[in-house]
Amino acid sequence: MKRRNFFKTGAKGALAASLLPLSGSIAAQNLETGESKLIHFNDPKGSKKTDPKRRKTLSFDVAVTGAGMAGISAAVSAARNGSKVVLVQDRPVLGGNASSEMRVTVNGVQSLKNKHKIERETGIIEELLIENWHYNPQASYHVWDHVLYNYVVREKNITLLMNTAAMDVNMDGNTIKSVVCWQLTTETEFTLQANMFCDCSGDGLVAATAGAEFRMGREGKSEFDESFAPDEPDGWVMGDCIMLTTKKMDKPVPFYPPEYAIPFDGKEAERTGHRKIKQVKDGFWWVEIGSNVDIIGERDAIRHKLMAYLYGVWDYVKNSGHHPEADNVVLDWIGSIPGRRESRRFMGDFILTQNDMLGLRHFDDAVAFGGWSLDEHNPGGIEDLSQPASFFHSRFDNIYEVPFRCLYSKDVSNLLFAGRNVSVSHMALSSTRIIGTCAMMGQAVGTAAAMCSQKGVNPRGLYKNHINELQEQLLRDDSYFPNRPANDPNDKAKKASLIFASSTLSGDVKNLVDGVSRDEVDKIHHWQSDGLNAELQLEWEKTQNLTSVEIKFDTNLQRKINMHKQPKKHLTQPMEIPKELIKNFSVEARVKGNWVKIGDIQNNLSRLVKVKFDEIKTTAVRVKLNDTYGEPNVKMFEIRCY
């Protein structure tokens, strides 16, 4: 009995013998019968000598290259907004710098000079971090890889191509028609056609090949009047780094460095105070090497040198006699792929600069926020011990806005980008490159790409004619940017004649429709119940047709929920689902005078919950808030009805 019946075709023996590539399908060996047979190509005795090359041409609404946190956010947001999406990743795992291959912490805004200090990112990036503590309370980076994988593949509108590298683009004038990719594991060449392309790959090969203008290096002070920029422009970029983790044994264990290790001058590092070894659990982020020539072209040489320097540092830790606390400590993991901070920056219709950020400039097209300090790493890295590993130039008074015009190409009509390759100055990149900020840009870009595809406009056209709609959708999907309250005319909760609750401990139920879905500094935007099993009710004077109720709950945005390599960092934050988050609740509607349950949510894992149901006609909605993951009261920030 045949197990499968693959590749049926009318072009029988001729096609099977010649293995002509097929557009849209793999050129397979046994096209005529579909049977399993011995494959014997390039047989010296045979007349046919062919290269069985596999080719596929696939079409999508949106193509995303690069599946780091920015790319994941872009792909998921585009898919959720109705687009057919392909996500291309050149590695066997998702996450980019945040994956188990590199293990960079998913940091965000956490060092503001105001009393909040931490202003955590929401939307897709927060969903991922919360789900990680649900599936991965042991804080395993390998499990984290699969949390990300599960999050992506469950989206029905996403086609995921792993181990697949973009190689070339096909252009029609200044418009990308398709991207040509190679999947190493299947020896398949993919031609990916799409209406919109999002380059979230960091280095930006697709964008560069398409002809998008980019910069590499540092602008001089005079170009943007940036006080922290060098006096003259140069080619230096912040460096790549390789990380390690350790574990403790029950007895002293010797360490023997590999032959290629480069000795570390620990005495000089201690003398200058710039690279002190403060712990032996993980590290060291300052083992980094930059470039003033071509950090992309030099990457493999940099990788080798980074490994050599890192082994040299560990040799110093273990064998110098200055760190007896490391006697029982051994290497458990050391990276083989460098994490990258900077390479190409593609130019959009606006270039965000140091002064825009420090001045907290307001943009009418804001679509994301940031607030990591201006953290410019010494481009010489570990090869320049005379300078600090990083120049923490300045912290921010509050979060800054990222405008949409930084996230699309000024040259290529259907190209957007998100991550560390966006339209910012070198100094601005020292803050915007942080992963949480990159992910928020990714969500904005994915949502924008979906809108562009659906409306038949390019990103510049979206900015000029539909920026309000883009912002409203992002705010609805739990993104946030300051100075821009939501005001969706389709939200029927705003039109309710009455909103009331069974109890109030703090805030006001009216805050739930004020358009701001988090507490801001000195501004309350929440309602909190006095105890569990609370109720919230909306009333309308006229009958409303509804298909969804959408609620934003509390996850304590002034507290970290990151996963770290260093165990002691977890002591300052929960390694669990935020206790403030709602766990179980239900939604009812009054239909023809009777209360009908239209949604029952159990073991909820997200701040934003969209309760969807078949269309009903109702004059009231009631939310029954049963319990949280540990907090004795329920806090909400928004309710919407559509």
Side-chain angles (χ1 to χ4, degrees):
M1 180 178 179
K2 296 179 181 179
R3 294 175 59 198
R4 301 181 183 177
N5 193 16
F6 285 152
F7 308 115
K8 286 188 176 180
T9 177
K12 304 237 175 188
L15 184 58
S18 63
L19 289 177
L20 292 174
L22 295 178
S23 176
S25 64
I26 297 175
Q29 286 83 2
N30 296 304
L31 294 176
E32 182 175 5
T33 65
E35 295 178 352
S36 176
K37 293 182 178 179
L38 172 67
I39 300 170
H40 199 176
F41 287 97
N42 296 328
D43 180 4
K45 298 179 181 179
S47 60
K48 296 290 184 181
K49 291 182 172 60
T50 61
D51 176 12
K53 194 170 186 178
R54 299 160 178 83
R55 291 190 176 99
K56 284 186 176 182
T57 298
L58 306 173
S59 296
F60 300 90
D61 301 314
V62 176
V64 180
T65 53
M69 305 310 288
I72 289 172
S73 298
V76 170
S77 60
R80 289 180 178 177
N81 280 283
S83 284
K84 184 181 177 184
V85 180
V86 60
L87 177 59
V88 179
Q89 171 69 337
D90 62 356
R91 303 299 306 165
V93 294
L94 301 173
N97 279 350
S99 74
S100 66
E101 291 189 315
M102 302 175 201
R103 307 193 183 189
V104 178
T105 303
V106 182
N107 282 317
V109 178
Q110 59 188 49
S111 60
L112 296 174
K113 291 192 283 187
N114 66 49
K115 64 184 181 182
H116 272 194
K117 187 176 180 180
I118 297 170
E119 198 69 73
R120 209 172 66 239
E121 298 76 11
T122 48
I124 288 171
I125 186 62
E126 190 200 41
E127 291 178 17
L128 283 164
L129 293 176
I130 291 175
E131 286 199 19
N132 186 50
W133 290 126
H134 174 69
Y135 293 109
N136 185 26
Q138 65 272 34
S140 162
Y141 267 91
H142 297 294
V143 176
W144 162 247
D145 289 340
H146 288 203
V147 171
L148 297 178
Y149 184 80
N150 178 61
Y151 189 85
V152 169
V153 298
R154 74 188 185 203
E155 291 290 339
K156 295 180 181 179
N157 280 345
I158 294 180
T159 296
L160 176 62
L161 298 178
M162 303 285 281
N163 300 295
T164 303
M167 307 294 289
D168 202 356
V169 299
N170 295 311
M171 303 290 294
D172 182 4
N174 69 337
T175 300
I176 303 174
K177 302 305 291 184
S178 61
V179 173
V180 180
C181 303
W182 177 257
Q183 189 172 55
L184 178 66
T185 49
T186 64
E187 298 180 356
T188 301
E189 179 185 279
F190 288 92
T191 298
L192 305 176
Q193 302 169 342
N195 299 325
M196 303 304 302
F197 292 84
C198 303
D199 193 327
C200 303
S201 65
D203 288 341
L205 178 65
V206 167
T209 306
E213 181 184 327
F214 66 87
R215 297 183 177 193
M216 288 180 67
R218 305 188 292 185
E219 291 84 4
K221 270 188 172 65
S222 62
E223 182 168 3
F224 299 118
D225 192 29
E226 294 176 308
S227 60
F228 301 125
D231 291 336
E232 299 296 331
D234 59 36
W236 279 108
V237 297
M238 290 180 283
D240 293 1
C241 70
I242 279 183
M243 307 296 292
L244 64 79
T245 59
T246 67
K247 65 180 179 181
K248 195 168 186 178
M249 309 297 283
D250 58 3
K251 62 181 180 180
V253 180
F255 173 71
Y256 307 102
E259 285 77 4
Y260 62 84
I262 298 175
F264 175 62
D265 191 347
K267 290 184 179 180
E268 177 65 12
E270 291 287 337
R271 187 189 69 77
T272 61
H274 297 321
R275 292 168 182 80
K276 290 184 178 180
I277 295 171
K278 301 176 181 179
Q279 51 81 29
V280 296
K281 293 293 184 182
D282 72 0
F284 301 92
W285 61 264
W286 42 259
V287 178
E288 56 186 321
I289 298 175
S291 172
N292 65 346
V293 180
D294 179 11
I295 197 167
I296 297 172
E298 299 169 31
R299 186 169 198 185
D300 204 53
I302 288 174
R303 173 198 58 78
H304 175 78
K305 290 179 73 174
L306 282 171
M307 292 176 64
Y309 278 117
L310 192 56
Y311 276 116
V313 170
W314 191 248
D315 184 32
Y316 175 81
V317 169
K318 288 289 288 184
N319 297 324
S320 68
H322 296 295
H323 294 280
E325 70 274 17
D327 288 350
N328 290 25
V329 178
V330 299
L331 291 175
D332 188 47
W333 168 84
I334 183 166
S336 297
I337 301 173
R340 174 155 292 164
R341 293 181 175 89
E342 180 180 9
S343 56
R344 298 185 181 106
R345 293 174 284 116
F346 292 92
M347 298 296 100
D349 281 345
F350 187 83
I351 302 174
L352 189 69
T353 69
Q354 166 195 317
N355 295 330
D356 297 323
M357 296 154 64
L358 286 174
L360 303 180
R361 180 176 174 180
H362 174 57
F363 297 99
D364 289 339
D365 61 330
V367 291
F369 73 84
W372 184 265
S373 63
L374 288 172
D375 174 18
E376 184 194 21
H377 285 231
N378 168 17
I382 196 170
E383 296 184 327
D384 184 4
L385 296 180
S386 67
Q387 296 292 320
S390 183
F391 304 99
F392 291 95
H393 294 297
S394 179
R395 293 160 59 203
F396 291 94
D397 294 325
N398 210 330
I399 55 177
Y400 57 79
E401 302 174 14
V402 178
F404 178 55
R405 284 166 295 159
C406 293
L407 307 183
Y408 63 84
S409 172
K410 71 183 187 65
D411 309 300
V412 181
S413 66
N414 60 341
L415 172 65
L416 303 100
F417 23 71
R420 59 178 174 81
N421 61 356
V422 301
S423 185
V424 296
S425 69
H426 167 82
M427 282 311 312
L429 181 69
S430 69
S431 173
T432 62
R433 64 182 173 81
I434 216 68
I435 293 177
T437 306
C438 291
M440 292 199 73
M441 295 185 218
Q443 183 164 349
V445 159
T447 304
M451 283 189 174
C452 286
S453 179
Q454 292 157 9
K455 295 178 181 297
V457 300
N458 60 30
R460 183 177 289 121
L462 193 73
Y463 160 67
K464 290 181 177 179
N465 301 308
H466 306 283
I467 190 62
N468 184 68
E469 186 178 348
L470 172 60
Q471 290 174 321
E472 288 293 345
Q473 187 61 53
L474 288 168
L475 293 170
R476 180 177 177 179
D477 292 338
D478 205 20
S479 188
Y480 172 78
F481 23 96
N483 308 307
R484 176 53 169 86
N487 189 26
D488 188 346
N490 298 316
D491 176 13
K492 297 185 178 183
K494 288 182 175 292
K495 302 172 184 177
S497 56
L498 182 65
I499 303 178
F500 60 93
S502 58
S503 64
T504 299
L505 181 65
S506 67
D508 191 310
V509 290
K510 295 179 181 178
N511 292 340
L512 302 181
V513 291
D514 72 358
V516 182
S517 60
R518 65 170 65 199
D519 286 341
E520 300 173 309
V521 177
D522 298 323
K523 295 179 182 179
I524 297 297
H525 296 284
H526 72 259
W527 162 78
Q528 187 175 31
S529 69
D530 188 0
L532 301 175
N533 295 310
E535 294 186 6
L536 178 79
Q537 191 163 322
L538 287 77
E539 295 272 353
W540 291 271
E541 293 179 355
K542 296 181 179 180
T543 300
Q544 304 292 318
N545 292 354
L546 298 182
T547 57
S548 71
V549 174
E550 303 178 4
I551 307 173
K552 294 186 177 82
F553 292 100
D554 186 27
T555 54
N556 193 343
L557 299 180
Q558 278 68 61
R559 185 180 60 207
K560 299 178 186 178
I561 57 171
N562 317 56
M563 184 176 73
H564 301 276
K565 295 178 293 299
Q566 190 177 145
K568 75 174 185 179
K569 290 187 177 181
H570 288 132
L571 299 177
T572 62
Q573 64 170 70
M575 292 178 65
E576 60 188 4
I577 299 168
K579 64 181 181 179
E580 296 86 356
L581 182 60
I582 191 74
K583 184 176 183 180
N584 303 304
F585 73 98
S586 61
V587 181
E588 299 176 343
R590 191 168 60 215
V591 179
K592 296 180 180 180
N594 298 313
W595 287 104
V596 178
K597 184 178 288 188
I598 54 176
D600 188 18
I601 307 301
Q602 301 294 314
N603 301 311
N604 170 59
L605 293 177
S606 60
R607 194 180 102 102
L608 168 61
V609 185
K610 295 185 177 182
V611 181
K612 298 181 180 181
F613 41 86
D614 293 336
E615 184 172 334
I616 59 170
K617 297 180 182 295
T618 183
T619 55
V621 165
R622 182 167 66 190
V623 183
K624 292 189 172 183
L625 305 160
N626 299 337
D627 56 354
T628 67
Y629 281 90
E631 191 70 16
N633 309 295
V634 178
K635 185 182 288 185
M636 288 173 52
F637 288 95
E638 185 176 82
I639 186 167
R640 298 185 182 213
C641 298
Y642 292 92

